[in-house]
Amino acid sequence: MSGDQRPGAGPDPELEAAEVEAAVEIPDADTDDAAAATTEPVADVDASGAPPEAPATAHEPATDDLRTEDGSATGEEQGAPGAGKPSGRRTRDPLAAALIGVLTLLLGFAFAVQVRAAGDDQQYAGAREEDLVRILDELNAREARLRDQIADQRAALQQLNSSDSQSAAALEEARARAEAIGILNGTVAAQGPGLVMTIRDADDEVRVSDILDAIQELRGAGAETMEIDGVRVGVSTAVTGTPGSLMVDGRPITSPYEFVVIGSPQNMETALNIPGGVVQDLTRHGASVTITQSEQVTVDALRPLDTPQYASPDTGD
Amino acid sequence: MIPILGLAAGVLLGLFFDPTVPLGLQPYLPIAVVAALDAVFGGFRARLDGIFDAKVFVISFVSNVVVAALIVFLGDQLGVGAQLSTAVVVVLGIRIFGNAAAIRRHVFRA
Protein backbone atom coordinates (compact mmCIF):
# COMPACT_ATOMS: atom_id res chain seq x y z
CA MET A 1 0.00 0.00 0.00
CA SER A 2 2.64 2.47 1.05
CA GLY A 3 4.66 1.43 -1.97
CA ASP A 4 1.79 2.45 -4.15
CA GLN A 5 1.45 5.75 -2.50
CA ARG A 6 5.05 6.81 -2.60
CA PRO A 7 5.36 7.44 -6.31
CA GLY A 8 2.22 9.52 -6.16
CA ALA A 9 3.55 11.30 -3.13
CA GLY A 10 6.40 12.81 -5.02
CA PRO A 11 4.85 15.88 -6.55
CA ASP A 12 2.71 16.79 -3.60
CA PRO A 13 5.24 17.99 -1.03
CA GLU A 14 6.20 20.68 -3.46
CA LEU A 15 2.73 22.08 -3.44
CA GLU A 16 2.49 21.85 0.28
CA ALA A 17 5.89 23.32 0.77
CA ALA A 18 4.99 26.19 -1.45
CA GLU A 19 1.97 26.90 0.63
CA VAL A 20 3.82 26.54 3.83
CA GLU A 21 6.12 29.27 2.64
CA ALA A 22 3.26 31.52 1.82
CA ALA A 23 2.02 32.44 5.22
CA VAL A 24 4.20 32.00 8.19
CA GLU A 25 2.20 34.30 10.36
CA ILE A 26 -1.45 33.70 10.83
CA PRO A 27 -3.86 35.65 12.94
CA ASP A 28 -4.47 33.94 16.25
CA ALA A 29 -7.94 35.28 16.41
CA ASP A 30 -9.51 32.22 14.87
CA THR A 31 -7.92 29.74 17.14
CA ASP A 32 -8.52 31.88 20.18
CA ASP A 33 -12.10 32.14 19.16
CA ALA A 34 -12.27 28.44 18.80
CA ALA A 35 -10.62 27.84 22.12
CA ALA A 36 -12.77 30.36 23.89
CA ALA A 37 -15.87 29.05 22.29
CA THR A 38 -15.05 25.48 23.00
CA THR A 39 -14.25 25.65 26.69
CA GLU A 40 -17.81 26.45 27.58
CA PRO A 41 -19.45 23.64 25.64
CA VAL A 42 -17.00 21.28 27.24
CA ALA A 43 -18.19 22.38 30.64
CA ASP A 44 -21.75 22.04 29.51
CA VAL A 45 -21.35 18.55 28.24
CA ASP A 46 -19.54 17.47 31.34
CA ALA A 47 -22.13 18.95 33.60
CA SER A 48 -24.98 17.32 31.77
CA GLY A 49 -23.66 13.94 30.82
CA ALA A 50 -21.13 12.45 33.06
CA PRO A 51 -21.10 11.09 36.60
CA PRO A 52 -19.28 13.10 39.27
CA GLU A 53 -15.85 11.72 38.51
CA ALA A 54 -15.97 12.45 34.85
CA PRO A 55 -15.95 16.24 34.93
CA ALA A 56 -12.71 16.38 36.82
CA THR A 57 -10.94 13.95 34.55
CA ALA A 58 -12.50 15.10 31.36
CA HIS A 59 -12.38 18.79 31.93
CA GLU A 60 -8.68 19.23 32.38
CA PRO A 61 -7.65 17.20 29.40
CA ALA A 62 -10.17 19.11 27.40
CA THR A 63 -8.77 22.56 28.02
CA ASP A 64 -5.17 21.45 28.13
CA ASP A 65 -5.58 19.50 25.00
CA LEU A 66 -7.13 22.39 23.24
CA ARG A 67 -4.32 24.66 24.12
CA THR A 68 -1.52 22.33 23.22
CA GLU A 69 -3.08 20.98 20.09
CA ASP A 70 -4.05 24.39 18.88
CA GLY A 71 -0.50 25.26 19.56
CA SER A 72 0.58 22.39 17.37
CA ALA A 73 -1.77 23.48 14.69
CA THR A 74 -0.58 27.06 14.77
CA GLY A 75 2.32 27.84 17.01
CA GLU A 76 4.47 24.85 16.39
CA GLU A 77 3.87 24.94 12.74
CA GLN A 78 4.80 28.53 12.76
CA GLY A 79 8.03 27.42 14.28
CA ALA A 80 8.59 24.64 11.84
CA PRO A 81 8.40 26.64 8.64
CA GLY A 82 10.57 29.23 10.26
CA ALA A 83 13.17 26.61 10.84
CA GLY A 84 12.99 25.02 7.40
CA LYS A 85 14.33 26.77 4.38
CA PRO A 86 12.08 27.37 1.41
CA SER A 87 14.42 25.69 -0.99
CA GLY A 88 14.99 22.75 1.34
CA ARG A 89 11.35 22.08 1.74
CA ARG A 90 10.66 21.52 -1.90
CA THR A 91 12.93 18.57 -2.12
CA ARG A 92 12.56 17.67 1.45
CA ASP A 93 10.13 14.96 2.26
CA PRO A 94 9.17 11.99 0.23
CA LEU A 95 9.25 10.24 3.57
CA ALA A 96 6.81 12.66 5.16
CA ALA A 97 4.57 12.43 2.13
CA ALA A 98 4.69 8.67 2.35
CA LEU A 99 3.91 8.78 6.04
CA ILE A 100 1.00 11.09 5.41
CA GLY A 101 -0.23 8.76 2.74
CA VAL A 102 0.09 5.75 4.99
CA LEU A 103 -1.57 7.47 7.91
CA THR A 104 -4.50 8.72 5.88
CA LEU A 105 -4.77 5.31 4.30
CA LEU A 106 -4.94 3.78 7.74
CA LEU A 107 -7.48 6.35 8.77
CA GLY A 108 -9.66 5.60 5.80
CA PHE A 109 -9.29 1.89 6.41
CA ALA A 110 -10.11 2.19 10.09
CA PHE A 111 -12.98 4.52 9.30
CA ALA A 112 -14.52 2.11 6.85
CA VAL A 113 -13.99 -0.83 9.17
CA GLN A 114 -15.48 1.00 12.11
CA VAL A 115 -18.46 2.16 10.10
CA ARG A 116 -19.02 -1.40 9.00
CA ALA A 117 -18.61 -2.70 12.53
CA ALA A 118 -20.96 -0.09 13.94
CA GLY A 119 -23.47 -0.91 11.24
CA ASP A 120 -23.44 -4.56 12.17
CA ASP A 121 -26.24 -5.84 14.28
CA GLN A 122 -23.73 -7.20 16.74
CA GLN A 123 -23.33 -3.69 18.00
CA TYR A 124 -23.14 -4.94 21.56
CA ALA A 125 -20.13 -7.10 20.86
CA GLY A 126 -17.76 -4.23 21.47
CA ALA A 127 -19.70 -2.59 24.26
CA ARG A 128 -18.27 -2.30 27.72
CA GLU A 129 -19.42 -4.46 30.53
CA GLU A 130 -20.92 -1.55 32.42
CA ASP A 131 -22.75 -0.41 29.32
CA LEU A 132 -24.09 -3.90 28.83
CA VAL A 133 -25.20 -4.03 32.44
CA ARG A 134 -26.94 -0.69 32.05
CA ILE A 135 -28.61 -1.82 28.84
CA LEU A 136 -29.68 -5.02 30.53
CA ASP A 137 -31.10 -3.05 33.45
CA GLU A 138 -33.02 -0.82 31.12
CA LEU A 139 -34.38 -3.80 29.25
CA ASN A 140 -35.37 -5.48 32.49
CA ALA A 141 -37.12 -2.37 33.72
CA ARG A 142 -38.86 -2.05 30.39
CA GLU A 143 -39.92 -5.66 30.53
CA ALA A 144 -41.33 -5.20 34.02
CA ARG A 145 -43.21 -2.13 32.87
CA LEU A 146 -44.63 -3.96 29.92
CA ARG A 147 -45.61 -6.90 32.09
CA ASP A 148 -47.43 -4.55 34.42
CA GLN A 149 -49.22 -3.11 31.46
CA ILE A 150 -50.19 -6.58 30.27
CA ALA A 151 -51.52 -7.47 33.70
CA ASP A 152 -53.51 -4.24 33.85
CA GLN A 153 -54.96 -4.81 30.44
CA ARG A 154 -55.85 -8.39 31.29
CA ALA A 155 -57.57 -7.29 34.47
CA ALA A 156 -59.49 -4.66 32.57
CA LEU A 157 -60.47 -7.20 29.94
CA GLN A 158 -61.63 -9.66 32.55
CA GLN A 159 -63.59 -6.99 34.31
CA LEU A 160 -65.24 -5.94 31.11
CA ASN A 161 -66.03 -9.55 30.23
CA SER A 162 -67.49 -10.36 33.62
CA SER A 163 -69.48 -7.15 33.81
CA ASP A 164 -70.69 -7.86 30.31
CA SER A 165 -71.87 -11.35 31.24
CA GLN A 166 -73.24 -10.03 34.52
CA SER A 167 -75.25 -7.39 32.78
CA ALA A 168 -76.39 -9.94 30.22
CA ALA A 169 -77.54 -12.23 33.02
CA ALA A 170 -79.21 -9.34 34.79
CA LEU A 171 -80.93 -8.36 31.60
CA GLU A 172 -82.11 -11.93 31.05
CA GLU A 173 -83.39 -12.16 34.59
CA ALA A 174 -85.12 -8.81 34.31
CA ARG A 175 -86.79 -9.93 31.12
CA ALA A 176 -87.97 -13.16 32.74
CA ARG A 177 -89.30 -11.22 35.73
CA ALA A 178 -91.04 -8.78 33.44
CA GLU A 179 -92.71 -11.66 31.63
CA ALA A 180 -93.77 -13.34 34.84
CA ILE A 181 -95.12 -10.12 36.23
CA GLY A 182 -96.78 -9.34 32.93
CA ILE A 183 -98.57 -12.69 33.02
CA LEU A 184 -99.65 -12.23 36.60
CA ASN A 185 -100.67 -8.68 35.96
CA GLY A 186 -102.51 -9.42 32.76
CA THR A 187 -100.50 -7.28 30.42
CA VAL A 188 -99.17 -10.23 28.47
CA ALA A 189 -101.06 -12.93 26.64
CA ALA A 190 -100.42 -16.35 28.12
CA GLN A 191 -101.00 -19.94 27.19
CA GLY A 192 -100.50 -23.27 28.84
CA PRO A 193 -102.38 -26.16 30.45
CA GLY A 194 -105.48 -25.25 32.30
CA LEU A 195 -109.21 -25.55 32.18
CA VAL A 196 -112.29 -23.88 30.87
CA MET A 197 -115.20 -23.53 33.27
CA THR A 198 -118.58 -22.50 31.88
CA ILE A 199 -121.30 -21.30 34.24
CA ARG A 200 -124.75 -21.21 32.75
CA ASP A 201 -126.95 -18.93 34.82
CA ALA A 202 -130.44 -19.47 33.50
CA ASP A 203 -132.25 -17.75 36.36
CA ASP A 204 -129.92 -14.81 37.00
CA GLU A 205 -129.09 -16.31 40.35
CA VAL A 206 -125.30 -16.01 40.25
CA ARG A 207 -124.15 -13.21 42.54
CA VAL A 208 -121.00 -11.20 42.70
CA SER A 209 -119.81 -13.23 45.65
CA ASP A 210 -120.14 -16.46 43.66
CA ILE A 211 -117.90 -15.13 40.95
CA LEU A 212 -115.45 -13.87 43.57
CA ASP A 213 -115.53 -17.25 45.33
CA ALA A 214 -114.79 -18.99 42.07
CA ILE A 215 -111.86 -16.64 41.37
CA GLN A 216 -110.48 -17.08 44.90
CA GLU A 217 -110.86 -20.82 44.77
CA LEU A 218 -109.06 -20.96 41.44
CA ARG A 219 -106.25 -18.75 42.73
CA GLY A 220 -106.01 -20.83 45.85
CA ALA A 221 -105.64 -23.93 43.70
CA GLY A 222 -102.72 -22.38 41.85
CA ALA A 223 -104.31 -20.57 38.93
CA GLU A 224 -101.73 -18.31 37.44
CA THR A 225 -103.86 -16.15 35.23
CA MET A 226 -107.41 -16.21 33.95
CA GLU A 227 -110.04 -14.35 32.00
CA ILE A 228 -113.79 -14.22 32.43
CA ASP A 229 -115.83 -13.73 29.29
CA GLY A 230 -112.88 -12.09 27.62
CA VAL A 231 -111.96 -9.86 30.57
CA ARG A 232 -108.58 -10.49 32.05
CA VAL A 233 -108.47 -10.91 35.78
CA GLY A 234 -105.64 -9.16 37.58
CA VAL A 235 -104.73 -8.14 41.08
CA SER A 236 -107.08 -5.16 41.11
CA THR A 237 -109.94 -6.78 39.29
CA ALA A 238 -113.32 -5.92 40.75
CA VAL A 239 -116.54 -7.83 40.26
CA THR A 240 -119.58 -5.61 40.60
CA GLY A 241 -123.20 -5.44 39.59
CA THR A 242 -126.31 -7.40 40.48
CA PRO A 243 -127.29 -10.94 39.53
CA GLY A 244 -128.14 -10.93 35.86
CA SER A 245 -126.03 -7.88 35.06
CA LEU A 246 -122.62 -8.64 36.48
CA MET A 247 -119.59 -6.65 35.55
CA VAL A 248 -115.91 -7.45 35.75
CA ASP A 249 -113.76 -4.33 35.90
CA GLY A 250 -116.81 -2.40 34.80
CA ARG A 251 -117.37 -4.50 31.69
CA PRO A 252 -120.60 -6.45 31.57
CA ILE A 253 -120.49 -10.20 31.34
CA THR A 254 -123.37 -12.32 30.29
CA SER A 255 -124.37 -15.89 30.92
CA PRO A 256 -122.84 -18.29 30.18
CA TYR A 257 -119.81 -17.01 32.07
CA GLU A 258 -116.74 -18.61 30.60
CA PHE A 259 -113.64 -18.82 32.82
CA VAL A 260 -110.44 -19.60 30.97
CA VAL A 261 -107.78 -20.41 33.55
CA ILE A 262 -104.12 -21.39 33.28
CA GLY A 263 -102.80 -23.55 36.07
CA SER A 264 -102.66 -27.15 37.12
CA PRO A 265 -105.95 -28.59 35.66
CA GLN A 266 -106.16 -31.44 38.16
CA ASN A 267 -105.70 -29.26 41.23
CA MET A 268 -108.08 -26.60 40.07
CA GLU A 269 -110.87 -28.98 39.12
CA THR A 270 -110.49 -30.80 42.42
CA ALA A 271 -110.61 -27.53 44.31
CA LEU A 272 -113.72 -26.41 42.47
CA ASN A 273 -115.47 -29.71 43.05
CA ILE A 274 -114.87 -30.14 46.77
CA PRO A 275 -118.07 -30.69 48.74
CA GLY A 276 -119.53 -27.35 49.77
CA GLY A 277 -117.26 -25.70 47.27
CA VAL A 278 -117.84 -23.42 44.32
CA VAL A 279 -119.48 -25.87 42.00
CA GLN A 280 -121.88 -27.16 44.64
CA ASP A 281 -122.78 -23.64 45.67
CA LEU A 282 -123.48 -22.56 42.11
CA THR A 283 -125.49 -25.66 41.43
CA ARG A 284 -127.52 -25.02 44.54
CA HIS A 285 -128.29 -21.53 43.23
CA GLY A 286 -129.61 -23.03 40.01
CA ALA A 287 -126.67 -22.56 37.73
CA SER A 288 -125.02 -25.32 35.80
CA VAL A 289 -121.27 -25.68 35.68
CA THR A 290 -119.19 -27.51 33.12
CA ILE A 291 -115.46 -27.88 33.56
CA THR A 292 -113.21 -28.94 30.71
CA GLN A 293 -109.56 -29.66 31.37
CA SER A 294 -107.21 -28.84 28.53
CA GLU A 295 -103.56 -29.23 27.79
CA GLN A 296 -103.54 -25.96 25.97
CA VAL A 297 -105.65 -22.95 26.74
CA THR A 298 -104.95 -19.40 25.70
CA VAL A 299 -105.60 -16.36 27.83
CA ASP A 300 -105.13 -13.50 25.44
CA ALA A 301 -107.31 -10.77 26.88
CA LEU A 302 -105.13 -7.96 28.17
CA ARG A 303 -105.43 -5.51 30.98
CA PRO A 304 -104.14 -2.02 30.63
CA LEU A 305 -101.20 -1.44 32.92
CA ASP A 306 -102.10 1.03 35.60
CA THR A 307 -99.37 3.47 36.39
CA PRO A 308 -99.39 3.97 40.12
CA GLN A 309 -100.46 7.50 40.87
CA TYR A 310 -99.16 7.75 44.43
CA ALA A 311 -96.85 4.83 45.01
CA SER A 312 -93.31 4.83 43.75
CA PRO A 313 -90.62 2.19 44.11
CA ASP A 314 -88.72 2.29 47.39
CA THR A 315 -85.15 2.55 46.24
CA GLY A 316 -83.71 3.32 49.64
CA ASP A 317 -82.47 0.42 51.70
CA MET B 1 -3.75 15.26 -2.86
CA ILE B 2 -1.97 12.46 -1.08
CA PRO B 3 -4.29 12.56 1.95
CA ILE B 4 -7.37 12.46 -0.22
CA LEU B 5 -6.01 9.58 -2.25
CA GLY B 6 -4.96 7.83 0.92
CA LEU B 7 -8.35 8.26 2.49
CA ALA B 8 -10.17 7.07 -0.58
CA ALA B 9 -7.89 4.08 -0.98
CA GLY B 10 -8.21 3.24 2.70
CA VAL B 11 -11.99 3.41 2.61
CA LEU B 12 -12.07 1.24 -0.47
CA LEU B 13 -9.69 -1.27 1.07
CA GLY B 14 -11.68 -1.35 4.27
CA LEU B 15 -14.90 -1.92 2.40
CA PHE B 16 -13.24 -4.51 0.20
CA PHE B 17 -11.57 -6.58 2.88
CA ASP B 18 -14.19 -5.93 5.52
CA PRO B 19 -12.12 -7.32 8.35
CA THR B 20 -13.55 -7.96 11.77
CA VAL B 21 -12.19 -5.71 14.45
CA PRO B 22 -10.30 -7.64 17.11
CA LEU B 23 -12.25 -7.70 20.33
CA GLY B 24 -9.53 -5.97 22.31
CA LEU B 25 -9.43 -3.09 19.86
CA GLN B 26 -13.14 -2.52 19.63
CA PRO B 27 -13.45 0.14 22.29
CA TYR B 28 -10.45 2.04 20.92
CA LEU B 29 -11.02 2.00 17.20
CA PRO B 30 -13.81 4.59 17.10
CA ILE B 31 -11.91 6.87 19.43
CA ALA B 32 -8.77 6.48 17.34
CA VAL B 33 -10.74 7.23 14.19
CA VAL B 34 -12.17 10.39 15.72
CA ALA B 35 -8.73 11.47 16.94
CA ALA B 36 -7.25 10.87 13.53
CA LEU B 37 -10.08 12.80 11.94
CA ASP B 38 -9.28 15.65 14.26
CA ALA B 39 -5.66 15.55 13.13
CA VAL B 40 -6.71 15.49 9.49
CA PHE B 41 -8.98 18.47 9.96
CA GLY B 42 -6.23 20.28 11.78
CA GLY B 43 -3.85 19.49 8.94
CA PHE B 44 -6.32 20.68 6.35
CA ARG B 45 -6.81 23.88 8.26
CA ALA B 46 -3.08 24.38 8.57
CA ARG B 47 -2.73 23.85 4.91
CA LEU B 48 -5.37 26.44 4.18
CA ASP B 49 -3.59 28.72 6.61
CA GLY B 50 -0.47 28.01 4.62
CA ILE B 51 1.45 26.68 7.58
CA PHE B 52 1.15 22.98 6.94
CA ASP B 53 4.10 20.97 8.05
CA ALA B 54 4.28 17.31 7.29
CA LYS B 55 6.25 16.48 10.39
CA VAL B 56 3.85 18.22 12.67
CA PHE B 57 0.97 16.56 10.93
CA VAL B 58 2.44 13.10 11.23
CA ILE B 59 3.39 13.54 14.83
CA SER B 60 0.11 15.11 15.85
CA PHE B 61 -1.77 12.42 13.98
CA VAL B 62 0.05 9.62 15.73
CA SER B 63 0.07 11.27 19.12
CA ASN B 64 -3.60 12.16 18.87
CA VAL B 65 -4.48 8.58 18.18
CA VAL B 66 -2.19 7.23 20.84
CA VAL B 67 -3.25 9.70 23.50
CA ALA B 68 -6.93 9.20 22.78
CA ALA B 69 -6.58 5.45 22.93
CA LEU B 70 -4.50 5.77 26.07
CA ILE B 71 -7.08 7.92 27.78
CA VAL B 72 -9.78 5.44 26.96
CA PHE B 73 -7.60 2.57 28.06
CA LEU B 74 -6.88 4.31 31.34
CA GLY B 75 -10.55 5.02 31.74
CA ASP B 76 -11.34 1.37 31.22
CA GLN B 77 -8.82 0.42 33.83
CA LEU B 78 -10.28 2.96 36.24
CA GLY B 79 -13.82 1.86 35.52
CA VAL B 80 -14.85 5.14 33.91
CA GLY B 81 -14.12 4.08 30.37
CA ALA B 82 -17.55 5.01 29.04
CA GLN B 83 -17.40 8.49 30.53
CA LEU B 84 -13.83 9.10 29.46
CA SER B 85 -14.44 7.97 25.93
CA THR B 86 -17.44 10.27 25.88
CA ALA B 87 -15.21 13.06 27.12
CA VAL B 88 -12.61 12.34 24.48
CA VAL B 89 -15.19 12.25 21.74
CA VAL B 90 -16.68 15.49 22.99
CA VAL B 91 -13.33 17.26 23.11
CA LEU B 92 -12.27 15.97 19.74
CA GLY B 93 -15.63 16.79 18.29
CA ILE B 94 -15.33 20.34 19.54
CA ARG B 95 -11.89 20.63 18.06
CA ILE B 96 -13.13 19.28 14.77
CA PHE B 97 -15.87 21.87 14.85
CA GLY B 98 -13.34 24.59 15.55
CA ASN B 99 -11.13 23.45 12.72
CA ALA B 100 -14.09 23.11 10.45
CA ALA B 101 -15.07 26.68 11.33
CA ALA B 102 -11.59 27.92 10.42
CA ILE B 103 -11.70 25.94 7.18
CA ARG B 104 -15.07 27.40 6.47
CA ARG B 105 -13.74 30.92 6.92
CA HIS B 106 -11.01 30.17 4.49
CA VAL B 107 -13.20 28.57 1.91
CA PHE B 108 -16.22 30.81 2.07
CA ARG B 109 -14.67 33.91 3.61
CA ALA B 110 -17.46 33.83 6.11
Side-chain angles (χ1 to χ4, degrees):
Chain A
M1 299 183 233
S2 58
D4 288 350
Q5 287 305 110
R6 264 173 207 169
D12 239 25
E14 299 176 2
L15 286 176
E16 283 161 8
E19 276 162 13
V20 171
E21 285 178 52
V24 170
E25 195 72 43
I26 62 144
D28 264 349
D30 282 359
T31 54
D32 285 347
D33 276 353
T38 50
T39 45
E40 284 168 15
V42 167
D44 277 350
V45 170
D46 289 342
S48 66
E53 295 167 45
T57 50
H59 196 79
E60 292 170 7
T63 47
D64 286 351
D65 214 22
L66 274 176
R67 267 183 247 123
T68 55
E69 286 301 319
D70 276 339
S72 80
T74 59
E76 285 179 25
E77 294 198 16
Q78 283 172 12
K85 306 292 174 287
S87 60
R89 254 176 265 132
R90 274 189 169 270
T91 58
R92 182 191 47 183
D93 276 336
L95 177 65
L99 277 177
I100 291 173
V102 170
L103 287 177
T104 50
L105 187 90
L106 281 175
L107 170 59
F109 186 76
F111 188 85
V113 168
Q114 176 59 28
V115 168
R116 273 288 175 87
D120 280 353
D121 48 27
Q122 29 172 281
Q123 52 177 316
Y124 297 124
R128 287 181 181 73
E129 196 179 335
E130 50 195 290
D131 285 345
L132 291 174
V133 169
R134 185 177 47 76
I135 292 168
L136 187 63
D137 279 350
E138 281 172 7
L139 287 177
N140 280 339
R142 189 172 150 78
E143 188 196 4
R145 251 198 333 273
L146 290 176
R147 279 195 192 288
D148 282 353
Q149 274 185 18
I150 290 175
D152 285 352
Q153 302 284 3
R154 271 195 209 287
L157 181 65
Q158 211 163 9
Q159 204 174 354
L160 286 175
N161 272 338
S162 73
S163 76
D164 195 33
S165 65
Q166 271 175 10
S167 66
L171 187 64
E172 193 58 36
E173 189 184 326
R175 188 172 291 133
R177 283 172 67 89
E179 276 172 8
I181 290 172
I183 288 172
L184 291 178
N185 213 26
T187 56
V188 175
Q191 52 135 23
L195 53 76
V196 177
M197 173 173 70
T198 309
I199 303 173
R200 296 178 190 284
D201 181 19
D203 308 328
D204 290 343
E205 288 292 338
V206 176
R207 301 159 301 163
V208 167
S209 60
D210 297 325
I211 301 293
L212 277 180
D213 282 348
I215 291 173
Q216 300 291 18
E217 195 66 59
L218 287 166
R219 279 180 174 157
E224 285 167 356
T225 191
M226 69 184 89
E227 67 183 29
I228 302 173
D229 267 8
V231 180
R232 187 74 170 259
V233 177
V235 284
S236 59
T237 295
V239 182
T240 51
T242 54
S245 59
L246 294 174
M247 290 185 290
V248 177
D249 278 349
R251 291 160 66 176
I253 56 175
T254 53
S255 172
Y257 313 119
E258 188 188 49
F259 287 62
V260 181
V261 192
I262 294 179
S264 163
Q266 283 347 349
N267 292 355
M268 291 192 295
E269 181 163 8
T270 311
L272 291 172
N273 280 328
I274 57 170
V278 174
V279 172
Q280 235 177 43
D281 243 15
L282 286 169
T283 314
R284 210 177 54 231
H285 282 101
S288 71
V289 178
T290 46
I291 294 174
T292 316
Q293 291 189 22
S294 173
E295 277 307 303
Q296 182 79 9
V297 297
T298 303
V299 176
D300 52 5
L302 298 182
R303 282 167 57 82
L305 182 61
D306 300 328
T307 308
Q309 190 178 353
Y310 302 105
S312 62
D314 180 13
T315 53
D317 29 313
Chain B
M1 190 52 75
I2 296 177
I4 297 171
L5 284 178
L7 271 177
V11 169
L12 288 179
L13 283 175
L15 291 178
F16 182 70
F17 286 114
D18 195 16
T20 45
V21 187
L23 198 61
L25 277 185
Q26 274 178 347
Y28 307 111
L29 186 59
I31 302 292
V33 167
V34 174
L37 274 180
D38 173 49
V40 167
F41 271 88
F44 187 49
R45 173 193 180 174
R47 176 170 173 167
L48 288 178
D49 284 342
I51 54 168
F52 182 83
D53 186 294
K55 192 182 81 176
V56 172
F57 174 75
V58 170
I59 291 176
S60 77
F61 187 105
V62 173
S63 71
N64 253 14
V65 170
V66 169
V67 168
L70 197 66
I71 290 175
V72 176
F73 173 75
L74 273 178
D76 272 345
Q77 300 306 307
L78 295 174
V80 289
Q83 291 87 340
L84 263 189
S85 53
T86 304
V88 168
V89 168
V90 167
V91 169
L92 292 176
I94 289 168
R95 286 165 47 79
I96 289 175
F97 260 101
N99 285 328
I103 293 168
R104 188 200 65 220
R105 283 189 204 112
H106 272 284
V107 173
F108 297 109
R109 310 266 168 235

